[in-house]
CSV table of all heavy atoms in Angstrom, one decimal:
chain,number,residue,atom,x,y,z
A,1,ALA,N,2.3,-117.5,-10.2
A,1,ALA,CA,1.1,-117.7,-9.3
A,1,ALA,C,0.7,-119.1,-9.5
A,1,ALA,O,0.8,-119.7,-10.7
A,1,ALA,CB,0.0,-116.9,-9.7
A,2,LEU,N,0.3,-119.7,-8.5
A,2,LEU,CA,-0.1,-121.2,-8.5
A,2,LEU,C,-1.4,-121.5,-7.8
A,2,LEU,O,-1.5,-121.0,-6.6
A,2,LEU,CB,1.0,-122.0,-8.0
A,2,LEU,CG,0.9,-123.6,-7.9
A,2,LEU,CD1,1.1,-124.1,-9.4
A,2,LEU,CD2,1.9,-124.1,-7.1
A,3,CYS,N,-2.4,-121.9,-8.4
A,3,CYS,CA,-3.8,-122.1,-7.8
A,3,CYS,C,-3.9,-123.6,-7.8
A,3,CYS,O,-3.7,-124.3,-8.7
A,3,CYS,CB,-4.9,-121.5,-8.5
A,3,CYS,SG,-4.8,-119.7,-8.7
A,4,HIS,N,-4.2,-124.2,-6.5
A,4,HIS,CA,-4.3,-125.6,-6.4
A,4,HIS,C,-5.6,-126.0,-5.7
A,4,HIS,O,-5.9,-125.5,-4.6
A,4,HIS,CB,-3.1,-126.1,-5.5
A,4,HIS,CG,-3.2,-127.6,-5.2
A,4,HIS,ND1,-3.0,-127.9,-3.8
A,4,HIS,CD2,-3.5,-128.7,-5.8
A,4,HIS,CE1,-3.2,-129.3,-3.7
A,4,HIS,NE2,-3.5,-129.6,-5.0
A,5,THR,N,-6.4,-126.9,-6.4
A,5,THR,CA,-7.6,-127.4,-5.8
A,5,THR,C,-7.2,-128.7,-5.1
A,5,THR,O,-6.8,-129.8,-5.9
A,5,THR,CB,-8.7,-127.7,-6.8
A,5,THR,OG1,-9.0,-126.5,-7.5
A,5,THR,CG2,-9.9,-128.2,-6.2
A,6,GLN,N,-7.1,-128.8,-3.9
A,6,GLN,CA,-6.5,-129.9,-3.1
A,6,GLN,C,-7.5,-131.1,-3.1
A,6,GLN,O,-8.7,-130.9,-2.8
A,6,GLN,CB,-6.1,-129.5,-1.7
A,6,GLN,CG,-5.3,-130.5,-1.0
A,6,GLN,CD,-4.7,-130.0,0.3
A,6,GLN,OE1,-4.6,-128.7,0.4
A,6,GLN,NE2,-4.4,-130.9,1.2
A,7,ARG,N,-6.9,-132.3,-3.4
A,7,ARG,CA,-7.7,-133.5,-3.3
A,7,ARG,C,-6.6,-134.6,-3.3
A,7,ARG,O,-5.6,-134.6,-3.7
A,7,ARG,CB,-8.5,-133.7,-4.6
A,7,ARG,CG,-9.5,-134.9,-4.5
A,7,ARG,CD,-10.4,-134.9,-5.7
A,7,ARG,NE,-9.7,-135.7,-6.7
A,7,ARG,CZ,-9.9,-135.8,-8.0
A,7,ARG,NH1,-10.9,-135.0,-8.4
A,7,ARG,NH2,-9.3,-136.5,-8.8
A,8,GLY,N,-7.0,-135.7,-2.5
A,8,GLY,CA,-6.2,-136.8,-2.5
A,8,GLY,C,-5.1,-136.7,-1.3
A,8,GLY,O,-5.5,-136.2,-0.3
A,9,THR,N,-3.9,-137.0,-1.7
A,9,THR,CA,-2.8,-137.0,-0.8
A,9,THR,C,-1.8,-136.0,-0.7
A,9,THR,O,-0.7,-136.1,-0.2
A,9,THR,CB,-2.2,-138.3,-0.8
A,9,THR,OG1,-1.6,-138.5,-2.1
A,9,THR,CG2,-3.0,-139.6,-0.6
A,10,SER,N,-2.1,-134.8,-1.3
A,10,SER,CA,-1.1,-133.7,-1.2
A,10,SER,C,-1.6,-132.8,-0.1
A,10,SER,O,-2.8,-132.7,0.2
A,10,SER,CB,-1.3,-132.9,-2.5
A,10,SER,OG,-2.5,-132.3,-2.8
A,11,HIS,N,-0.7,-132.2,0.5
A,11,HIS,CA,-1.0,-131.2,1.6
A,11,HIS,C,0.0,-130.2,1.8
A,11,HIS,O,1.2,-130.4,1.4
A,11,HIS,CB,-1.2,-132.0,2.9
A,11,HIS,CG,-0.1,-132.7,3.5
A,11,HIS,ND1,0.3,-133.8,3.0
A,11,HIS,CD2,0.7,-132.2,4.5
A,11,HIS,CE1,1.3,-134.3,3.7
A,11,HIS,NE2,1.7,-133.3,4.5
A,12,HIS,N,-0.2,-129.1,2.4
A,12,HIS,CA,0.7,-128.1,2.7
A,12,HIS,C,1.3,-128.3,4.0
A,12,HIS,O,0.6,-128.4,5.0
A,12,HIS,CB,-0.1,-126.6,2.6
A,12,HIS,CG,0.7,-125.4,2.7
A,12,HIS,ND1,1.1,-124.8,3.7
A,12,HIS,CD2,1.3,-124.8,1.5
A,12,HIS,CE1,1.9,-123.8,3.5
A,12,HIS,NE2,2.1,-123.8,2.1
A,13,ARG,N,2.6,-128.3,4.0
A,13,ARG,CA,3.2,-128.6,5.3
A,13,ARG,C,3.5,-127.3,6.2
A,13,ARG,O,3.4,-126.2,5.5
A,13,ARG,CB,4.7,-129.2,5.0
A,13,ARG,CG,4.5,-130.5,4.2
A,13,ARG,CD,5.9,-131.2,3.8
A,13,ARG,NE,7.0,-130.4,4.0
A,13,ARG,CZ,8.2,-130.9,3.8
A,13,ARG,NH1,8.4,-132.0,3.2
A,13,ARG,NH2,9.3,-130.1,3.9
A,14,SER,N,3.9,-127.5,7.4
A,14,SER,CA,4.0,-126.3,8.3
A,14,SER,C,5.2,-125.5,7.9
A,14,SER,O,5.3,-124.4,8.3
A,14,SER,CB,4.1,-126.8,9.7
A,14,SER,OG,5.2,-127.6,9.9
A,15,ASP,N,6.2,-126.1,7.1
A,15,ASP,CA,7.2,-125.3,6.7
A,15,ASP,C,7.1,-124.5,5.5
A,15,ASP,O,8.0,-123.9,4.8
A,15,ASP,CB,8.6,-126.2,6.6
A,15,ASP,CG,8.5,-127.2,5.6
A,15,ASP,OD1,7.4,-127.3,4.8
A,15,ASP,OD2,9.4,-128.1,5.4
A,16,GLY,N,5.9,-124.5,4.9
A,16,GLY,CA,5.6,-123.7,3.7
A,16,GLY,C,5.6,-124.6,2.4
A,16,GLY,O,5.4,-124.0,1.3
A,17,ARG,N,6.1,-125.8,2.5
A,17,ARG,CA,6.4,-126.6,1.3
A,17,ARG,C,5.0,-127.5,1.1
A,17,ARG,O,4.4,-127.8,2.0
A,17,ARG,CB,7.4,-127.5,1.4
A,17,ARG,CG,8.8,-126.6,1.5
A,17,ARG,CD,9.8,-127.6,1.8
A,17,ARG,NE,11.0,-127.3,1.0
A,17,ARG,CZ,12.2,-127.8,1.1
A,17,ARG,NH1,12.3,-128.9,1.9
A,17,ARG,NH2,13.2,-127.7,0.3
A,18,PHE,N,4.9,-127.9,-0.2
A,18,PHE,CA,3.9,-129.0,-0.4
A,18,PHE,C,4.5,-130.2,-0.4
A,18,PHE,O,5.6,-130.6,-0.8
A,18,PHE,CB,3.4,-128.8,-1.8
A,18,PHE,CG,2.2,-127.8,-1.9
A,18,PHE,CD1,2.5,-126.5,-2.3
A,18,PHE,CD2,0.9,-128.1,-1.4
A,18,PHE,CE1,1.5,-125.4,-2.3
A,18,PHE,CE2,0.0,-127.0,-1.5
A,18,PHE,CZ,0.3,-125.7,-1.8
A,19,SER,N,3.8,-131.3,0.2
A,19,SER,CA,4.2,-132.7,0.3
A,19,SER,C,3.2,-133.4,-0.7
A,19,SER,O,2.0,-133.2,-0.5
A,19,SER,CB,4.1,-133.1,1.7
A,19,SER,OG,4.4,-134.5,1.8
A,20,VAL,N,3.7,-134.2,-1.6
A,20,VAL,CA,2.9,-134.8,-2.6
A,20,VAL,C,3.3,-136.3,-2.6
A,20,VAL,O,4.5,-136.6,-2.6
A,20,VAL,CB,3.1,-134.3,-4.0
A,20,VAL,CG1,2.2,-134.9,-5.0
A,20,VAL,CG2,2.9,-132.7,-3.9
A,21,SER,N,2.3,-137.2,-2.8
A,21,SER,CA,2.6,-138.6,-2.8
A,21,SER,C,3.1,-138.8,-4.3
A,21,SER,O,3.2,-137.9,-5.2
A,21,SER,CB,1.4,-139.5,-2.6
A,21,SER,OG,0.5,-139.4,-3.8
A,22,ASN,N,3.5,-140.1,-4.7
A,22,ASN,CA,4.0,-140.5,-6.0
A,22,ASN,C,2.9,-140.6,-7.1
A,22,ASN,O,3.0,-141.1,-8.1
A,22,ASN,CB,4.8,-141.7,-5.9
A,22,ASN,CG,6.1,-141.5,-5.3
A,22,ASN,OD1,6.7,-140.5,-5.4
A,22,ASN,ND2,6.5,-142.6,-4.7
A,23,GLY,N,1.7,-140.1,-6.7
A,23,GLY,CA,0.6,-140.3,-7.6
A,23,GLY,C,-0.6,-140.8,-6.9
A,23,GLY,O,-0.6,-141.5,-5.9
A,24,PRO,N,-1.8,-140.7,-7.6
A,24,PRO,CA,-3.1,-141.3,-7.0
A,24,PRO,C,-3.1,-142.7,-7.0
A,24,PRO,O,-2.6,-143.4,-8.0
A,24,PRO,CB,-4.0,-140.6,-7.9
A,24,PRO,CG,-3.4,-140.3,-9.2
A,24,PRO,CD,-2.0,-140.1,-8.9
A,25,GLN,N,-3.7,-143.2,-6.1
A,25,GLN,CA,-3.7,-144.8,-6.1
A,25,GLN,C,-5.0,-145.3,-6.8
A,25,GLN,O,-5.0,-146.5,-7.2
A,25,GLN,CB,-3.8,-145.2,-4.6
A,25,GLN,CG,-2.7,-144.8,-3.7
A,25,GLN,CD,-1.4,-145.2,-4.1
A,25,GLN,OE1,-1.2,-146.3,-4.5
A,25,GLN,NE2,-0.3,-144.4,-4.2
A,26,ASP,N,-6.0,-144.5,-7.1
A,26,ASP,CA,-7.2,-145.0,-7.7
A,26,ASP,C,-7.1,-144.7,-9.2
A,26,ASP,O,-8.2,-145.0,-10.0
A,26,ASP,CB,-8.3,-144.3,-7.2
A,26,ASP,CG,-8.4,-142.8,-7.3
A,26,ASP,OD1,-7.4,-142.2,-7.8
A,26,ASP,OD2,-9.3,-142.2,-6.9
A,27,GLY,N,-6.1,-144.3,-9.9
A,27,GLY,CA,-6.0,-144.0,-11.3
A,27,GLY,C,-6.5,-142.5,-11.7
A,27,GLY,O,-6.3,-142.2,-12.8
A,28,GLY,N,-6.9,-141.8,-10.8
A,28,GLY,CA,-7.4,-140.5,-11.0
A,28,GLY,C,-6.3,-139.4,-10.9
A,28,GLY,O,-5.1,-139.9,-10.9
A,29,THR,N,-6.6,-138.3,-10.6
A,29,THR,CA,-5.6,-137.2,-10.4
A,29,THR,C,-5.6,-136.8,-9.0
A,29,THR,O,-6.6,-137.1,-8.3
A,29,THR,CB,-5.9,-136.0,-11.4
A,29,THR,OG1,-7.1,-135.5,-10.9
A,29,THR,CG2,-5.9,-136.3,-12.8
A,30,LEU,N,-4.5,-136.2,-8.6
A,30,LEU,CA,-4.5,-135.7,-7.1
A,30,LEU,C,-5.3,-134.4,-7.1
A,30,LEU,O,-5.7,-134.0,-5.9
A,30,LEU,CB,-3.0,-135.5,-6.7
A,30,LEU,CG,-2.2,-136.6,-6.5
A,30,LEU,CD1,-0.7,-136.2,-6.2
A,30,LEU,CD2,-2.7,-137.4,-5.3
A,31,GLY,N,-5.5,-133.7,-8.1
A,31,GLY,CA,-6.3,-132.4,-8.1
A,31,GLY,C,-6.0,-131.7,-9.4
A,31,GLY,O,-5.1,-132.1,-10.3
A,32,GLU,N,-6.5,-130.6,-9.4
A,32,GLU,CA,-6.3,-129.6,-10.6
A,32,GLU,C,-5.5,-128.4,-10.2
A,32,GLU,O,-5.7,-127.9,-9.1
A,32,GLU,CB,-7.6,-129.2,-11.2
A,32,GLU,CG,-8.5,-130.4,-11.6
A,32,GLU,CD,-10.0,-129.8,-12.0
A,32,GLU,OE1,-10.1,-128.6,-12.1
A,32,GLU,OE2,-10.8,-130.8,-12.0
A,33,ILE,N,-4.5,-128.1,-11.0
A,33,ILE,CA,-3.7,-126.9,-10.8
A,33,ILE,C,-3.8,-126.0,-12.0
A,33,ILE,O,-3.6,-126.5,-13.1
A,33,ILE,CB,-2.3,-127.2,-10.7
A,33,ILE,CG1,-2.2,-128.1,-9.3
A,33,ILE,CG2,-1.3,-126.0,-10.5
A,33,ILE,CD1,-0.7,-128.5,-9.0
A,34,LEU,N,-4.0,-124.7,-11.8
A,34,LEU,CA,-4.0,-123.6,-12.7
A,34,LEU,C,-2.6,-122.9,-12.5
A,34,LEU,O,-2.4,-122.3,-11.5
A,34,LEU,CB,-5.1,-122.7,-12.7
A,34,LEU,CG,-5.1,-121.4,-13.6
A,34,LEU,CD1,-5.0,-121.9,-15.1
A,34,LEU,CD2,-6.2,-120.5,-13.4
A,35,LEU,N,-1.8,-123.1,-13.5
A,35,LEU,CA,-0.4,-122.5,-13.4
A,35,LEU,C,-0.4,-121.3,-14.4
A,35,LEU,O,-0.6,-121.4,-15.6
A,35,LEU,CB,0.6,-123.6,-13.8
A,35,LEU,CG,2.1,-123.4,-13.7
A,35,LEU,CD1,2.5,-123.1,-12.3
A,35,LEU,CD2,2.9,-124.6,-14.3
A,36,VAL,N,0.1,-120.1,-13.9
A,36,VAL,CA,0.1,-118.9,-14.7
A,36,VAL,C,1.4,-118.4,-14.5
A,36,VAL,O,2.0,-118.1,-13.4
A,36,VAL,CB,-0.9,-117.8,-14.1
A,36,VAL,CG1,-0.9,-116.7,-15.0
A,36,VAL,CG2,-2.3,-118.5,-14.0
A,37,ASP,N,2.2,-118.2,-15.6
A,37,ASP,CA,3.4,-117.5,-15.7
A,37,ASP,C,3.7,-117.0,-17.1
A,37,ASP,O,3.2,-117.6,-18.2
A,37,ASP,CB,4.6,-118.5,-15.4
A,37,ASP,CG,5.8,-117.8,-14.8
A,37,ASP,OD1,6.5,-117.1,-15.8
A,37,ASP,OD2,6.2,-117.8,-13.7
A,38,ASP,N,4.4,-115.9,-17.3
A,38,ASP,CA,4.6,-115.4,-18.6
A,38,ASP,C,5.9,-115.9,-19.2
A,38,ASP,O,6.3,-115.5,-20.3
A,38,ASP,CB,4.7,-113.8,-18.6
A,38,ASP,CG,5.8,-113.3,-17.7
A,38,ASP,OD1,6.5,-114.0,-17.0
A,38,ASP,OD2,5.9,-112.0,-17.7
A,39,GLU,N,6.6,-116.8,-18.6
A,39,GLU,CA,7.7,-117.4,-19.1
A,39,GLU,C,7.5,-118.9,-19.6
A,39,GLU,O,7.1,-119.7,-18.7
A,39,GLU,CB,8.8,-117.4,-18.0
A,39,GLU,CG,10.1,-117.8,-18.5
A,39,GLU,CD,10.8,-116.8,-19.4
A,39,GLU,OE1,10.7,-115.6,-19.2
A,39,GLU,OE2,11.4,-117.2,-20.4
A,40,PRO,N,7.5,-119.0,-20.9
A,40,PRO,CA,7.1,-120.4,-21.4
A,40,PRO,C,7.9,-121.5,-20.8
A,40,PRO,O,7.3,-122.6,-20.6
A,40,PRO,CB,7.3,-120.3,-22.9
A,40,PRO,CG,7.2,-118.8,-23.3
A,40,PRO,CD,7.7,-118.1,-22.0
A,41,SER,N,9.2,-121.4,-20.6
A,41,SER,CA,10.0,-122.4,-20.0
A,41,SER,C,9.6,-122.8,-18.6
A,41,SER,O,9.6,-124.0,-18.3
A,41,SER,CB,11.6,-122.0,-20.1
A,41,SER,OG,11.8,-120.9,-19.3
A,42,ILE,N,9.1,-121.8,-17.9
A,42,ILE,CA,8.7,-122.1,-16.5
A,42,ILE,C,7.4,-122.9,-16.6
A,42,ILE,O,7.3,-123.9,-15.8
A,42,ILE,CB,8.4,-120.8,-15.7
A,42,ILE,CG1,9.7,-120.0,-15.6
A,42,ILE,CG2,7.8,-121.1,-14.4
A,42,ILE,CD1,10.7,-120.7,-14.7
A,43,LEU,N,6.5,-122.6,-17.4
A,43,LEU,CA,5.2,-123.3,-17.6
A,43,LEU,C,5.4,-124.7,-18.1
A,43,LEU,O,4.9,-125.5,-17.4
A,43,LEU,CB,4.4,-122.6,-18.6
A,43,LEU,CG,3.8,-121.2,-18.3
A,43,LEU,CD1,2.9,-120.7,-19.5
A,43,LEU,CD2,2.7,-121.5,-17.1
A,44,ILE,N,6.3,-125.0,-19.0
A,44,ILE,CA,6.6,-126.3,-19.5
A,44,ILE,C,7.2,-127.2,-18.4
A,44,ILE,O,6.8,-128.2,-18.2
A,44,ILE,CB,7.4,-126.2,-20.7
A,44,ILE,CG1,6.7,-125.6,-21.9
A,44,ILE,CG2,7.9,-127.6,-21.1
A,44,ILE,CD1,7.6,-125.2,-23.1
A,45,SER,N,8.3,-126.6,-17.7
A,45,SER,CA,8.9,-127.3,-16.7
A,45,SER,C,8.0,-127.7,-15.5
A,45,SER,O,8.0,-128.9,-15.1
A,45,SER,CB,10.1,-126.5,-16.2
A,45,SER,OG,11.1,-126.2,-17.2
A,46,LEU,N,7.3,-126.7,-15.1
A,46,LEU,CA,6.4,-127.0,-13.9
A,46,LEU,C,5.3,-127.9,-14.2
A,46,LEU,O,4.8,-128.8,-13.6
A,46,LEU,CB,6.0,-125.8,-13.3
A,46,LEU,CG,6.9,-125.0,-12.5
A,46,LEU,CD1,6.4,-123.6,-12.0
A,46,LEU,CD2,7.5,-125.8,-11.3
A,47,ARG,N,4.8,-127.8,-15.5
A,47,ARG,CA,3.6,-128.6,-16.1
A,47,ARG,C,4.2,-130.1,-15.9
A,47,ARG,O,3.4,-131.0,-15.5
A,47,ARG,CB,3.2,-128.2,-17.3
A,47,ARG,CG,2.2,-129.1,-17.8
A,47,ARG,CD,1.6,-128.7,-19.2
A,47,ARG,NE,0.3,-129.4,-19.4
A,47,ARG,CZ,-0.7,-128.9,-20.1
A,47,ARG,NH1,-0.6,-127.8,-20.7
A,47,ARG,NH2,-1.8,-129.6,-20.2
A,48,ILE,N,5.3,-130.4,-16.6
A,48,ILE,CA,5.9,-131.8,-16.6
A,48,ILE,C,6.1,-132.1,-15.2
A,48,ILE,O,5.7,-133.5,-14.9
A,48,ILE,CB,7.1,-131.7,-17.4
A,48,ILE,CG1,6.9,-131.4,-18.9
A,48,ILE,CG2,7.9,-133.1,-17.3
A,48,ILE,CD1,8.1,-131.2,-19.7
A,49,LEU,N,6.6,-131.4,-14.3
A,49,LEU,CA,6.9,-131.9,-13.0
A,49,LEU,C,5.5,-132.2,-12.3
A,49,LEU,O,5.4,-133.3,-11.7
A,49,LEU,CB,7.6,-130.8,-12.2
A,49,LEU,CG,7.9,-131.1,-10.8
A,49,LEU,CD1,8.9,-132.1,-10.5
A,49,LEU,CD2,8.2,-129.9,-10.0
A,50,LEU,N,4.6,-131.4,-12.3
A,50,LEU,CA,3.4,-131.5,-11.6
A,50,LEU,C,2.5,-132.7,-12.1
A,50,LEU,O,1.8,-133.5,-11.4
A,50,LEU,CB,2.6,-130.2,-11.5
A,50,LEU,CG,3.2,-129.2,-10.6
A,50,LEU,CD1,2.5,-127.8,-11.0
A,50,LEU,CD2,3.2,-129.5,-9.2
A,51,GLU,N,2.5,-132.8,-13.4
A,51,GLU,CA,1.8,-134.0,-14.1
A,51,GLU,C,2.4,-135.3,-13.6
A,51,GLU,O,1.8,-136.3,-13.4
A,51,GLU,CB,1.8,-133.9,-15.6
A,51,GLU,CG,0.7,-132.8,-16.0
A,51,GLU,CD,0.7,-132.5,-17.5
A,51,GLU,OE1,1.7,-133.0,-18.3
A,51,GLU,OE2,-0.2,-132.0,-18.1
A,52,GLY,N,3.7,-135.3,-13.5
A,52,GLY,CA,4.5,-136.5,-13.0
A,52,GLY,C,4.1,-136.9,-11.6
A,52,GLY,O,4.1,-138.2,-11.4
A,53,TYR,N,3.8,-136.0,-10.8
A,53,TYR,CA,3.2,-136.3,-9.5
A,53,TYR,C,1.6,-136.6,-9.4
A,53,TYR,O,1.1,-137.1,-8.4
A,53,TYR,CB,3.3,-135.0,-8.6
A,53,TYR,CG,4.6,-134.9,-8.0
A,53,TYR,CD1,5.5,-133.8,-8.4
A,53,TYR,CD2,5.1,-135.8,-7.2
A,53,TYR,CE1,6.7,-133.7,-7.8
A,53,TYR,CE2,6.4,-135.7,-6.6
A,53,TYR,CZ,7.2,-134.6,-7.0
A,53,TYR,OH,8.5,-134.5,-6.5
A,54,GLY,N,0.9,-136.6,-10.6
A,54,GLY,CA,-0.4,-136.9,-10.7
A,54,GLY,C,-1.5,-135.9,-10.7
A,54,GLY,O,-2.7,-136.1,-10.5
A,55,PHE,N,-1.1,-134.6,-10.9
A,55,PHE,CA,-2.0,-133.4,-10.9
A,55,PHE,C,-2.4,-133.2,-12.4
A,55,PHE,O,-1.7,-133.6,-13.4
A,55,PHE,CB,-1.3,-132.2,-10.5
A,55,PHE,CG,-1.1,-132.1,-9.0
A,55,PHE,CD1,0.2,-132.5,-8.5
A,55,PHE,CD2,-2.0,-131.8,-8.1
A,55,PHE,CE1,0.4,-132.5,-7.2
A,55,PHE,CE2,-1.9,-131.7,-6.7
A,55,PHE,CZ,-0.7,-132.0,-6.3
A,56,GLN,N,-3.7,-132.7,-12.5
A,56,GLN,CA,-4.2,-132.3,-13.8
A,56,GLN,C,-3.7,-130.8,-13.9
A,56,GLN,O,-4.2,-130.0,-13.0
A,56,GLN,CB,-5.6,-132.5,-14.0
A,56,GLN,CG,-6.2,-131.9,-15.3
A,56,GLN,CD,-7.7,-132.2,-15.3
A,56,GLN,OE1,-8.3,-132.9,-14.6
A,56,GLN,NE2,-8.4,-131.3,-16.1
A,57,VAL,N,-2.9,-130.4,-14.9
A,57,VAL,CA,-2.4,-129.0,-15.0
A,57,VAL,C,-2.9,-128.3,-16.2
A,57,VAL,O,-2.9,-128.8,-17.3
A,57,VAL,CB,-0.9,-129.0,-15.0
A,57,VAL,CG1,-0.3,-127.7,-15.1
A,57,VAL,CG2,-0.3,-129.8,-13.9
A,58,THR,N,-3.4,-127.1,-16.0
A,58,THR,CA,-3.8,-126.2,-17.0
A,58,THR,C,-2.9,-125.0,-16.9
A,58,THR,O,-2.6,-124.5,-15.9
A,58,THR,CB,-5.2,-125.6,-16.8
A,58,THR,OG1,-6.2,-126.8,-16.8
A,58,THR,CG2,-5.7,-124.8,-17.9
A,59,THR,N,-2.3,-124.5,-18.0
A,59,THR,CA,-1.4,-123.4,-18.0
A,59,THR,C,-2.1,-122.2,-18.7
A,59,THR,O,-2.9,-122.3,-19.6
A,59,THR,CB,-0.1,-123.8,-18.8
A,59,THR,OG1,-0.3,-124.1,-20.1
A,59,THR,CG2,0.6,-125.0,-17.9
A,60,ALA,N,-1.5,-121.0,-18.3
A,60,ALA,CA,-1.9,-119.8,-19.0
A,60,ALA,C,-0.7,-118.9,-18.9
A,60,ALA,O,0.0,-118.8,-17.9
A,60,ALA,CB,-3.1,-119.2,-18.1
A,61,ALA,N,-0.6,-118.0,-19.9
A,61,ALA,CA,0.6,-117.0,-19.9
A,61,ALA,C,0.2,-115.7,-19.4
A,61,ALA,O,1.1,-114.9,-19.1
A,61,ALA,CB,1.1,-116.9,-21.4
A,62,THR,N,-0.9,-115.4,-19.2
A,62,THR,CA,-1.4,-114.0,-18.8
A,62,THR,C,-2.7,-114.2,-17.8
A,62,THR,O,-3.2,-115.3,-17.7
A,62,THR,CB,-1.9,-113.2,-20.0
A,62,THR,OG1,-3.2,-113.7,-20.5
A,62,THR,CG2,-0.9,-113.0,-21.0
A,63,GLY,N,-2.9,-113.1,-17.0
A,63,GLY,CA,-4.1,-113.2,-16.2
A,63,GLY,C,-5.4,-113.5,-16.9
A,63,GLY,O,-6.3,-114.1,-16.5
A,64,ASN,N,-5.5,-112.8,-18.0
A,64,ASN,CA,-6.8,-112.9,-18.8
A,64,ASN,C,-6.8,-114.3,-19.3
A,64,ASN,O,-8.1,-114.9,-19.3
A,64,ASN,CB,-6.7,-112.0,-20.0
A,64,ASN,CG,-6.9,-110.5,-19.5
A,64,ASN,OD1,-7.7,-110.3,-18.6
A,64,ASN,ND2,-6.6,-109.5,-20.4
A,65,GLU,N,-5.8,-114.9,-19.7
A,65,GLU,CA,-5.9,-116.3,-20.1
A,65,GLU,C,-6.4,-117.3,-19.0
A,65,GLU,O,-7.1,-118.2,-19.1
A,65,GLU,CB,-4.6,-116.9,-20.6
A,65,GLU,CG,-4.2,-116.5,-22.1
A,65,GLU,CD,-2.9,-117.1,-22.5
A,65,GLU,OE1,-2.6,-118.2,-22.0
A,65,GLU,OE2,-2.2,-116.4,-23.4
A,66,ALA,N,-5.8,-117.0,-17.7
A,66,ALA,CA,-6.2,-117.7,-16.7
A,66,ALA,C,-7.6,-117.6,-16.3
A,66,ALA,O,-8.3,-118.5,-15.9
A,66,ALA,CB,-5.3,-117.2,-15.4
A,67,LEU,N,-8.2,-116.4,-16.4
A,67,LEU,CA,-9.6,-116.2,-16.1
A,67,LEU,C,-10.4,-116.9,-17.1
A,67,LEU,O,-11.5,-117.4,-16.8
A,67,LEU,CB,-9.9,-114.7,-16.2
A,67,LEU,CG,-9.3,-113.8,-15.1
A,67,LEU,CD1,-9.6,-112.4,-15.2
A,67,LEU,CD2,-9.9,-114.3,-13.7
A,68,ASP,N,-10.0,-117.2,-18.3
A,68,ASP,CA,-10.8,-117.9,-19.5
A,68,ASP,C,-10.6,-119.4,-19.2
A,68,ASP,O,-11.3,-120.2,-19.8
A,68,ASP,CB,-10.3,-117.4,-20.8
A,68,ASP,CG,-10.7,-116.1,-21.1
A,68,ASP,OD1,-11.7,-115.5,-20.5
A,68,ASP,OD2,-10.0,-115.5,-21.9
A,69,ALA,N,-9.6,-119.8,-18.4
A,69,ALA,CA,-9.3,-121.3,-18.3
A,69,ALA,C,-10.3,-122.0,-17.5
A,69,ALA,O,-10.9,-121.5,-16.6
A,69,ALA,CB,-7.9,-121.5,-17.8
C-alpha cells in the first residue's frame, strides 16, 4: 500500500503511473509518503528510490505501525 500526500511537481498520469520530477527546486521535499509492506527488502528498495526523487518517506511493516506513524 502506498499513501501519498501530493505537493510540488509529482502527479498521477492518465495511464495510472506517477510522473515525478528529478527533485524539488526549492530544497524542500516533493511531499510525504507512508510506505507499508511486510517485506523489508521492498520497504528498503522503495524508500531509497522515492527519497532519491525528493520525497520524505516513512515506512511501516504492519497496518498498526502505519496508524502510529
Side-chain angles (χ1 to χ4, degrees):
L2 184 69
C3 299
H4 172 227
T5 303
Q6 190 168 339
R7 187 176 91 197
T9 57
S10 64
H11 66 277
H12 193 263
R13 300 178 351 181
S14 61
D15 62 3
R17 299 171 133 180
F18 278 99
S19 176
V20 182
S21 73
N22 287 331
Q25 302 302 315
D26 62 0
T29 64
L30 288 176
E32 300 173 16
I33 294 177
L34 173 58
L35 186 60
V36 184
D37 199 294
D38 62 352
E39 189 65 42
S41 62
I42 299 291
L43 288 176
I44 293 167
S45 298
L46 287 176
R47 180 180 197 150
I48 291 168
L49 176 73
L50 293 167
E51 285 178 341
Y53 279 115
F55 289 98
Q56 179 182 337
V57 180
T58 302
T59 59
T62 68
N64 286 334
E65 281 183 29
L67 292 173
D68 291 336

